[in-house]
Amino acid sequence: MMKKLLIGLFALLPTFAMAAGPSVPLLEANNDLTDNASLQRGAKLFMNYCLGCHQMQYQRYERTFRDIGIPVEIGKETLIFDDSKVGGHILNAMDTDDAAKWFGAAPPDLTLVSRVRGADWVYTYLKSFYVDESRPFGVNNSVFPLVGMPHVLQELQGVPTAEFEEVEEHGVKVRKVKSITTDGSGELSADEYDQAVRDLTNFLAYVGEPSRLQSEALGIKVLGFLVIFFILAFLLKKEYWRDVH
């Protein structure tokens, strides 16, 4: 299992290394892994808008449902859209070779995307699509220039249009996105869309490290134990050395 995880992680690196592009200030995702309502909304968004292309081959449905507070039966009915078993991994039916032909490169597995790039990067990326008719799918992304995927959340956001400016970086003038506005045709308001993107980012952050909350809780207990053990050891040492002195 560890070998598969490492392979998946290194497989992501070349794809996201291309995303460096011009420096773009990252927005703060402010994700909260204790917010099950947000995680549930994020899971719904992922299953409906992302899973068609992007898999989570190291994450299982049942584990996901259990961790974010979704009853297994409800999860099976509302979030599994094919014949996948509830104990199986979150996979799609897209053939890797076909995907590479259609998109130029196979869409990366997203299990570890938040671990590779960070939640702030994911959040900013999802908010940085804009119309660019020169691109195959009619959109580009200021965080990931020449992005090879469509803006799958456009029906929620509306049509995003970019305003550009020329700035000087290292003595060279660079055309950068100054701001992105939408035409208001989306199903969600600006605030609702922002919350939806935060929810999706929150879910991806959870999937990147499902045991994080448990690990942090255990870490606090271990530190507490070490403090108590240190005090006892110190008192015992003083008791032993009292006879010596």
Side-chain angles (χ1 to χ4, degrees):
M1 183 63 181
M2 182 58 69
K3 182 178 180 182
K4 290 183 177 180
L5 284 171
L6 290 173
I7 292 173
L9 177 60
F10 285 113
L12 282 171
L13 292 178
T15 300
F16 289 107
M18 297 170 58
S23 58
V24 175
L26 297 182
L27 305 172
E28 293 186 4
N30 295 321
N31 58 297
D32 180 3
L33 297 180
T34 66
D35 188 348
N36 276 356
S38 171
L39 293 172
Q40 291 169 12
R41 294 191 299 267
K44 180 180 178 182
L45 287 167
F46 179 85
M47 302 304 178
N48 281 277
Y49 290 95
C50 306
L51 183 56
C53 296
H54 296 281
Q55 302 186 131
M56 289 184 169
Q57 59 181 320
Y58 308 117
Q59 182 75 4
R60 296 181 184 274
Y61 283 106
E62 187 173 12
R63 167 68 187 270
T64 302
F65 298 158
R66 184 175 69 249
D67 284 353
I68 66 178
I70 299 177
V72 173
E73 290 303 316
I74 293 179
K76 287 170 61 177
E77 293 176 5
T78 60
L79 295 178
I80 299 180
F81 305 130
D82 54 19
D83 58 355
S84 297
K85 303 296 183 182
V86 71
H89 293 94
I90 303 176
L91 306 174
N92 59 35
M94 181 178 291
D95 180 78
T96 303
D97 293 335
D98 289 340
K101 294 177 183 177
W102 299 333
F103 299 104
D109 182 274
L110 294 186
T111 315
L112 300 172
V113 63
S114 69
R115 296 288 297 277
V116 175
R117 300 301 301 184
D120 290 348
W121 187 94
V122 174
Y123 172 68
T124 308
Y125 168 77
L126 291 172
K127 289 177 64 69
S128 298
F129 281 92
Y130 61 90
V131 171
D132 183 349
E133 297 299 339
S134 68
R135 300 297 300 148
F137 292 100
V139 292
N140 210 330
N141 190 287
S142 60
V143 174
F144 195 152
L146 306 182
V147 66
M149 66 171 281
H151 181 22
V152 295
L153 300 179
Q154 183 168 304
E155 67 177 49
L156 302 180
Q157 182 187 23
V159 179
T161 304
E163 180 182 348
F164 295 90
E165 63 178 349
E166 282 194 354
V167 298
E168 188 170 308
E169 290 188 351
H170 309 294
V172 179
K173 287 190 176 181
V174 180
R175 185 169 180 260
K176 297 180 65 174
V177 174
K178 179 180 180 181
S179 63
I180 297 176
T181 57
T182 62
D183 63 353
S185 64
E187 297 177 7
L188 304 179
S189 67
D191 289 340
E192 290 172 337
Y193 180 73
D194 181 70
Q195 184 60 55
V197 172
R198 290 185 188 277
D199 293 337
L200 180 53
T201 302
N202 201 23
F203 177 69
L204 292 173
Y206 149 72
V207 172
E209 195 173 1
S211 61
R212 179 173 176 177
L213 293 180
Q214 293 87 338
S215 298
E216 290 177 351
L218 179 60
I220 293 174
K221 293 178 182 178
V222 170
L223 290 175
F225 168 79
L226 291 176
V227 170
I228 295 173
F229 180 80
F230 172 79
I231 293 173
L232 293 175
F234 177 75
L235 293 176
L236 183 61
K237 177 258 184 188
K238 288 189 64 177
E239 184 65 26
Y240 276 121
W241 280 91
R242 179 183 304 170
D243 295 335
V244 175
H245 295 297

